[in-house]
Amino acid sequence: MATKEIKPAEKKIVKAHCPKCDGERNCTEHGTIYKAWDWEDKYHGHSMNGGVDHSLLECLGCETVFYHTESWDSEGYEPYYDAMGETQYETIKERATYPKPETKTKPVWLDAMQKKDPQLHNILDQMYIALDNQAHILTAIALRTALDRATECLGIDPAKTFEEKLNELRDGGWIGQTERDILGVVTDAGNAAAHRGWEPGSQEITQLVLSMEVFLHRAFIVGQEALGIKGNIPAKPKRLPPPAAVGKAT
């Protein structure tokens, strides 16, 4: 009796945002499960419902395996008009992948900070994680902490106030008056976030991060490397003494 060959079921191909390619790619769906949920406020009569699709996907390009969710709820919808001009409603679905794509805002020189000062590198690394997750309050606090550590690495007494530290950076030639004022804004933003719960907007936090990057890049990367070139520059040749006069014309 001939045995029937059992072929494995073909896996579904879906499109999803690959965290490594950082773009929408065709992916193999290795498994999926849908979880519905309901909520009801028995005292006031309010209710909601929704659901989440959980999937394990593998990118067909880079072969990265990642977790993908697609969620919806009864409160999220947007109107549109059909061919007859009637108003219809479409459910808004939120999609997320884990791990998240690595930030594109990290400067290329960030890894070099590990050799300069591991603690400062760690602060900056966590700052970018907060930035990736739109945690702007935490980002502002981390920027102030990074500035505090940077001044200590440059030899400034950590017991001094931020105002004193910034003035010493200026007086020591590390920054000019304009940059001193800019870093003062970074400090004030961090203080307001830490002590008053102030949250900067997306554009504001971007400007604060860029200001810090400019300072760190020059103080720890470009400036140090430029100083290292000094030993390779040949010394200026000494001028030869003028020849002695043979005689005077009569």
Side-chain angles (χ1 to χ4, degrees):
M1 182 177 178
T3 57
K4 184 178 180 180
E5 182 181 357
I6 300 177
K7 295 182 179 180
E10 291 188 6
K11 295 188 181 290
K12 185 179 178 181
I13 304 299
V14 298
K15 283 190 177 293
H17 192 103
C18 172
K20 186 172 183 180
C21 299
D22 198 11
E24 191 173 80
R25 299 290 187 270
N26 287 328
C27 302
T28 301
E29 186 180 79
H30 288 289
T32 183
I33 185 171
Y34 176 75
K35 292 288 186 178
W37 57 267
D38 291 282
W39 173 84
E40 182 180 358
D41 183 351
K42 296 180 179 179
Y43 296 101
H44 299 91
H46 302 304
S47 63
M48 286 180 61
N49 59 62
V52 184
D53 267 312
H54 303 266
S55 303
L56 183 65
L57 306 180
E58 180 179 0
C59 177
L60 290 175
C62 67
E63 299 183 346
T64 295
V65 177
F66 59 97
Y67 170 59
H68 177 268
T69 64
E70 185 174 278
S71 60
W72 68 276
D73 64 66
S74 55
E75 299 297 309
Y77 57 85
E78 56 185 359
Y80 70 95
Y81 296 101
D82 61 17
M84 303 300 294
E86 299 291 333
T87 302
Q88 303 293 337
Y89 295 91
E90 181 179 10
T91 302
I92 298 174
K93 293 186 177 181
E94 295 186 359
R95 298 173 177 83
T97 57
Y98 304 90
K100 291 181 176 292
E102 290 190 5
T103 179
K104 291 184 177 179
T105 60
K106 284 185 179 180
V108 295
W109 47 263
L110 181 62
D111 288 342
M113 291 298 298
Q114 178 69 37
K115 296 180 180 179
K116 304 294 181 181
D117 184 71
Q119 186 176 347
L120 178 55
H121 176 270
N122 184 44
I123 296 170
L124 292 171
D125 197 45
Q126 294 193 34
M127 183 272 292
Y128 284 110
I129 292 175
L131 181 62
D132 283 347
N133 289 277
Q134 290 81 50
H136 294 165
I137 293 177
L138 297 180
T139 304
I141 296 173
L143 284 172
R144 184 192 64 167
T145 306
L147 179 58
D148 196 19
R149 178 59 186 172
T151 59
E152 186 175 355
C153 292
L154 294 175
I156 296 176
D157 184 359
K160 291 186 175 181
T161 66
F162 269 104
E163 287 292 315
E164 292 172 331
K165 291 175 182 178
L166 293 178
N167 289 338
E168 192 165 333
L169 283 176
R170 179 198 59 202
D171 298 341
W174 293 101
I175 57 176
Q177 181 60 45
T178 299
E179 190 169 8
R180 184 253 176 265
D181 295 339
I182 293 172
L183 293 179
V185 174
V186 174
T187 301
D188 292 341
N191 289 336
H195 302 297
R196 298 186 292 279
W198 176 70
E199 181 175 7
S202 297
Q203 292 185 346
E204 291 171 323
I205 200 66
T206 297
Q207 290 302 317
L208 293 172
V209 171
L210 288 175
S211 299
M212 177 62 77
E213 287 177 345
V214 169
F215 163 64
L216 294 174
H217 186 229
R218 186 180 64 255
F220 290 90
I221 307 299
V222 175
Q224 296 295 328
E225 292 179 356
L227 290 173
I229 299 174
K230 183 177 181 180
N232 300 328
I233 299 176
K236 182 180 179 180
K238 295 181 179 180
R239 296 181 63 178
L240 296 174
V246 175
K248 293 184 178 179
T250 58

